[in-house]
């Protein structure tokens, strides 16, 4: 077993533990599970960072070429963004009930993915790769946080949620918080598209060509823009806003993890 | 008076933020429609974008929120400018491809040209010479970096040289020349008649993707149809180990003229009824993507400005209340029991 795998497996275990303790933290057991969540998230991120660094050194390039690498780097970045949100905005901590299961789903997919090395295409030898990928990761992380917070509005409509999430701020406050995450997600989404267009102009001689990934990335951007506008102009109730954000996230998720690996466009990678 | 009231009502309708949402949905539908059925793509995208721009212009003219929140106004105006610039860019742009034999100068001949009606060709100012290229390959024939040496003469008459490839196009007179994966071998011939010599090259199919069919038909200046094939069976780029693009050691070609078959080594010649055909040798050719769009820097400026202005708008708006106690903004009706939010952004 490689060093990378030796570090990755306990990292994913920590994330699973964080998910379980976040679940317990919504109960009446006081602050202990919350501390456990914080420790497990931190430990998982440290181990995962070391795992990614080990692979980076072994491959000679960053985690950008295969589904395995992209899943691993996104599990890491989604967790990191949520850990920062968790640490900075107490009212958003309960979103772990939604966010961590999504991350664990990706982690399960990661375990099933082929870890074989990929080819680092000539178009990837540019700083724009790092700028584009970083902006995309912040965007998806913030959007997931927005979805997690807004989904609490729905979750506490259930009998289970009514008991466990009674101490949370009112729906309007959660909705406002989700809106803030979504607003900055939109800013980072826009910056990601701009960086991608500059990269595409340099690499392929056109800034936009409506290839499948560009088309779906634009639709994701439109979905988020529509959600922001609808909330502001149509007084969409919190629950409807949660659904709009969830739809935007589903589109973004499919764009990130589906389209690049099923299309045969230049965005597929090895060009 | 009645007319101005009517105009005002129309403007208010045009400036509706609900209309904005509807038009964003229409744009999404247009994009999906164009994705599924390409012929409707142009209308599917252009029509909603034009309506969105009108909607935005009307909103900027009459909605007080734009006057009180300058970053929001800047963001939206920059978005409108982006749409207009993209439209003008399409009308004045040129997209094409070109193929150039090693050692020869670009003479302005383009293939698969798509030019907007406002494009004014200036390709004569974009002459350059392809001085050959290097390409690395990883095992499995996976293409690595491309380095293409080019030479041109600048406006002051100085000879300039550069190496282009992958992320570095050659930019001459606003035209951007990008190397592409489309490249290969080019047997060079001289056609000698009493009127003089004419030299030309036949660009064989792209290598290595078409390595098993390195042949092509072409026509001599006197109209004689000729078919040429690179004879070598050598594995020039070893798929099992790191390698580089190179000319084969065996550079002989097979020629068919009518029913006759010839095998020529570099320097060999054959006499044909219209003249003498001399095989000068084998070179490479590079395929270029040619792109001209005068709006590129402005598009980048408008999109960055729109995004940064929006970021400033959100930062200022959210700064009024800490994230830890985020509540709907106090300058608007409070959220109701169902958690209806307040409108603080148009």
């Amino acid at each position: 077993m490689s060093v990378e795998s030796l570090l990755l497996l306990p990292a994913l275990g920590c994330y699973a533990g964080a998910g379980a303790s976040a679940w317990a933290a919504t109960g009446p057991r006081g602050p202990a599970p919350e501390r456990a969540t914080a420790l497990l998230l931190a430990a998982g991120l440290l181990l995962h960072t070391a795992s990614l660094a080990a692979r980076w050194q072994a491959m000679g390039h960053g985690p950008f070429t295969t589904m395995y690498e992209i899943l691993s780097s996104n599990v890491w970045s989604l967790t990191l963004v949520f850990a920062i949100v968790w640490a900075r905005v107490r009212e958003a901590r309960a979103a772990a009930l939604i966010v961590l299961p999504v991350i664990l789903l990706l982690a399960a997919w990661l375990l099933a993915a082929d870890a074989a090395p990929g080819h680092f295409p000539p178009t990837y030898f540019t700083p724009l790769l790092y700028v584009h990928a970083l902006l995309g990761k912040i965007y998806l992380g913030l959007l997931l946080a927005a979805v997690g917070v807004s989904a609490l509005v729905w979750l506490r409509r259930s009998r289970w949620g009514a008991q466990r999430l009674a101490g949370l701020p009112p729906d309007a406050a959660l909705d406002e918080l989700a809106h803030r995450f979504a607003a900055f997600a939109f800013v980072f989404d826009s910056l990601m598209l701009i960086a991608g267009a500059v990269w595409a102009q340099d690499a392929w001689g056109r800034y936009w060509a409506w290839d499948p990934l560009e088309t779906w990335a634009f639709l994701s951007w439109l979905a988020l823009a529509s959600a922001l506008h609808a909330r502001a102009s149509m007084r969409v109730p919190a629950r409807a806003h949660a659904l709009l954000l969830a739809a935007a996230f589903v589109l973004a998720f499919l764009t990130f993890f589906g389209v690049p690996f099923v299309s045969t466009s230049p965005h597929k990678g090895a060009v | 008076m009645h007319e101005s009231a009517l105009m005002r009502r129309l403007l208010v309708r045009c400036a509706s933020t609900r209309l904005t949402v509807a038009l964003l949905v229409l744009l999404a539908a247009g994009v999906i429609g164009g994705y599924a059925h390409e012929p409707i793509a142009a209308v599917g995208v252009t029509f909603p974008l034009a309506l969105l721009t009108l909607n935005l212009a009307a909103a900027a003219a009459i909605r007080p929120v734009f006057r009180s929140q300058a970053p929001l106004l800047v963001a939206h105006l920059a978005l409108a400018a982006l749409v207009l610039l993209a439209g003008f860019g399409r009308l004045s742009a040129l997209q094409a491809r070109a193929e150039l034999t090693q050692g020869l100068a670009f003479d302005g001949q383009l293939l698969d040209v798509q030019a907007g009606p406002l494009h004014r060709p200036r390709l004569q100012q974009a002459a350059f010479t392809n001085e050959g290229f290097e390409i690395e390959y990883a095992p499995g024939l996976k293409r690595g970096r491309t380095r293409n040496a080019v030479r041109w003469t600048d406006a002051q008459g100085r000879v300039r040289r550069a190496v282009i490839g992958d992320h570095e196009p050659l930019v001459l007179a606003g035209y951007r020349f990008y190397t592409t994966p489309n490249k290969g071998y080019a047997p060079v011939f001289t056609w000698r008649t009493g009127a003089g010599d004419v030299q030309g090259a036949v660009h064989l199919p792209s290598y290595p993707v078409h390595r098993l069919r390195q042949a092509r038909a072409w026509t001599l200046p006197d109209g004689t149809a000729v078919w040429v094939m690179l004879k070598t069976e050598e594995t020039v780029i070893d798929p099992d180990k790191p390698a580089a693009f190179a000319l084969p050691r065996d550079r002989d070609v097979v020629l068919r003229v009518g029913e006759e078959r010839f095998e020529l080594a570099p320097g060999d010649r054959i006499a044909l009824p219209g003249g003498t055909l001399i095989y000068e040798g084998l070179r490479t050719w590079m395929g270029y993507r040619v792109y001209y769009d005068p709006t590129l820097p402005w598009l980048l400026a408008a999109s960055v400005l729109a995004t940064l202005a929006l970021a400033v708008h959100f930062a200022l708006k959210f700064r009024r209340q800490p994230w830890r106690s985020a509540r709907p903004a106090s300058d608007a009706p409070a959220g109701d029991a169902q958690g209806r939010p307040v409108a603080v952004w148009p």
Side-chain angles (χ1 to χ4, degrees), chain A residues 4 16 35 54 59 68 118 133 176 184 192 196 236 252 259:
Chain A
E4 172 211 345
R35 279 198 294 273
M59 299 293 141
Y68 174 86
E176 170 66 15
F184 281 110
M192 178 193 72
V236 177
V259 179

Side-chain angles (χ1 to χ4, degrees), chain A residues 21-29 33-34 94 97 160 163-166:
Chain A
S21 62
W23 191 268
T26 57
R29 294 182 203 172
E34 270 205 349
L97 294 173
W160 178 89
Q163 291 171 350
R164 312 266 297 203
L165 305 175

Side-chain angles (χ1 to χ4, degrees), chain A residues 59-67 69-70 117-130 199 203-204 260-261 265-271, chain B residues 135-139 141-147 165-167 181:
Chain A
M59 299 293 141
H61 60 74
F64 306 113
T65 61
T66 62
M67 181 57 105
E69 290 177 350
I70 288 169
H119 172 58
F120 200 73
T123 47
Y124 281 23
F125 287 94
T126 169
L128 286 167
L129 165 67
Y130 302 95
W199 184 9
W204 301 318
F261 298 92
S265 72
H267 254 109
K268 193 175 168 68
V271 292
Chain B
I135 301 176
E136 303 155 355
Y137 284 87
L141 286 179
K142 288 175 178 162
R143 190 169 54 84
R145 294 188 188 194
T146 298
R147 297 179 186 86
D166 300 321
H167 297 280

Side-chain angles (χ1 to χ4, degrees), chain A residues 91 125 201-202 232-233 236 271, chain B residues 17 145 166 178 324 341 345:
Chain A
E91 288 78 1
F125 287 94
Q201 182 67 52
D202 279 353
S233 62
V236 177
V271 292
Chain B
T17 49
R145 294 188 188 194
D166 300 321
Y178 297 86
R324 282 169 180 273
W345 190 52

